[in-house]
Structure formats: C-alpha cells, structure tokens
C-alpha cells in the first residue's frame, strides 16, 4: 500500500510528520488510520524561517537582486513562513538577528503554538538556534525542542546563518 502526503513544506516540519508516522507505525495502527492521523497532524504543524542572506531567493526570482544585496549590507533578516499552498510568504524584515528571533517567537504564538514539539534546523548558526531555544523555553516552559544542522536542499536554500523552525500548532 502507498500513501502520498503533500506536506507543502520541508525540513523541520517534515521531520515532525515523520516522527508522527514512526509513532503511529510503532503503535501498530492500521494503514488507513495512520494515513488519516498523519494527514490531520500535518494541518496542525507549521514552518517558519529566518534568512541571513537572500542571495538564493534573488537567484530564483523571489526577490530582486538589489533588495537582496541591500538587505545583506544592512543586516536585515527575512522572517517568513511556508504558506498553506506551499509557497514562501515573507512576514517581516528585521534589522538584526535578535529582532528576527523575537519575531519568530511572536509568529509562532500568533499561529497557535502553545508549547508542543519544535524542531529547529540551522545552517552553520548553532548560536542563534540556541538563543531561539532559550527564548522559547522562557515563554513556553513545556516546549519540546530539538535542534540539528540542516542538510541537502534545506541548507542550500536557507543559506549560511539561516534557521528553519517546524512546530506544532494548538
């Protein structure tokens, strides 16, 4: 039997879905029940990102090369999310990493995060991932956070310094 779930996402949000799938299989749920559970769970997860560089977004035509260069020179971090249709949606442009991390916490709250699972992948920026972990645990003491280095396409698109944050809503 084969089941295809279009997550409309990547990286840490996919990791949450795979963890749920593994949990359902370990519980020896029926195939159809697993499909229903993972599909329902995917509606209750989200993905945010913080980009230190927008070079790859400019190379792919998502932002202008001038805007990407200016953002890099001014230390602007792009904060965005994976939209409900699988596109990248910019939420904020923050001057500096600390403001970007604070924006992530607020956007998680606004999207319904209450303190469940969070998966943070970083591209050579473990310090920022650690700071975000600290900020989240202050606001959400019951948060279950894991972080790891991004690999493959996620590391290419997030670029050096980028963070991808998968989380449970509500």
């Amino acid at each position: 039997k084969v089941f295809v779930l279009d997550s409309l996402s990547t990286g840490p949000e996919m990791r949450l879905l795979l963890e749920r799938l593994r949990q359902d299989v370990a519980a020896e749920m029926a195939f159809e029940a697993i499909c229903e559970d993972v599909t329902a769970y995917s509606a209750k997860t989200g993905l945010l990102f913080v980009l230190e560089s927008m070079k790859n977004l400019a190379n792919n035509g998502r932002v202008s090369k001038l805007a990407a260069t200016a953002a890099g020179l001014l230390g602007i971090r792009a904060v965005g999310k994976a939209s409900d249709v699988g596109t990248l949606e910019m939420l904020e442009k923050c001057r500096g990493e600390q403001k970007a991390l604070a924006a992530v916490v607020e956007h998680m709250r606004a999207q319904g995060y209450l303190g469940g699972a969070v998966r943070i992948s970083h591209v050579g920026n473990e310090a920022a991932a650690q700071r975000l972990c600290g900020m989240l645990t202050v606001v959400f003491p019951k948060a279950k956070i894991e972080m790891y280095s991004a690999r493959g396409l996620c590391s290419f698109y997030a670029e050096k310094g980028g963070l991808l944050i998968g989380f449970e809503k509500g």
Side-chain angles (χ1 to χ4, degrees), residues 15-164:
R15 189 177 192 132
L16 288 171
L17 297 175
L18 289 170
E19 289 171 0
R20 183 63 167 250
L21 177 64
R22 182 177 27 211
Q23 174 187 328
D24 289 353
V25 169
E28 298 182 5
M29 292 173 61
F31 179 80
E32 291 76 16
I34 292 172
C35 297
E36 288 175 20
D37 184 59
V38 172
T39 300
Y41 183 66
S42 72
K44 296 177 183 176
T45 60
L47 179 77
L48 293 172
F49 58 85
V50 177
L51 303 178
E52 186 174 311
S53 168
M54 290 185 265
K55 180 182 171 199
N56 281 333
L57 291 179
N59 289 343
N60 292 315
R62 295 182 188 263
V63 297
S64 75
K65 290 186 188 271
L66 179 62
T69 301
L73 292 172
L74 296 172
I76 293 174
R77 306 291 192 269
V79 177
K81 71 174 190 167
S83 75
D84 294 337
V85 294
T87 59
L88 301 179
E89 183 179 320
M90 292 297 173
L91 299 171
E92 285 188 53
K93 293 174 185 149
C94 301
R95 188 122 191 225
E97 189 172 78
Q98 193 61 27
K99 287 182 181 177
L101 298 178
V104 166
V105 174
E106 288 310 310
H107 283 289
M108 286 175 69
R109 182 194 317 259
Q111 291 183 39
Y113 180 70
L114 300 173
V118 177
R119 302 296 176 261
I120 302 170
S121 69
H122 64 87
V123 183
N125 200 354
E126 186 174 351
Q130 289 283 3
R131 279 194 293 283
L132 181 57
C133 285
M135 293 168 77
L136 286 168
T137 54
V138 166
V139 180
F140 305 101
K142 294 183 180 183
K144 299 174 192 101
I145 305 169
E146 292 179 18
M147 54 178 227
Y148 56 94
S149 295
R151 292 180 241 160
L153 282 176
C154 287
S155 64
F156 175 77
Y157 284 108
E159 295 188 72
K160 186 173 189 229
L163 300 175
L164 298 169

Side-chain angles (χ1 to χ4, degrees), residues 4 8 33 124:
V4 177
L8 303 172

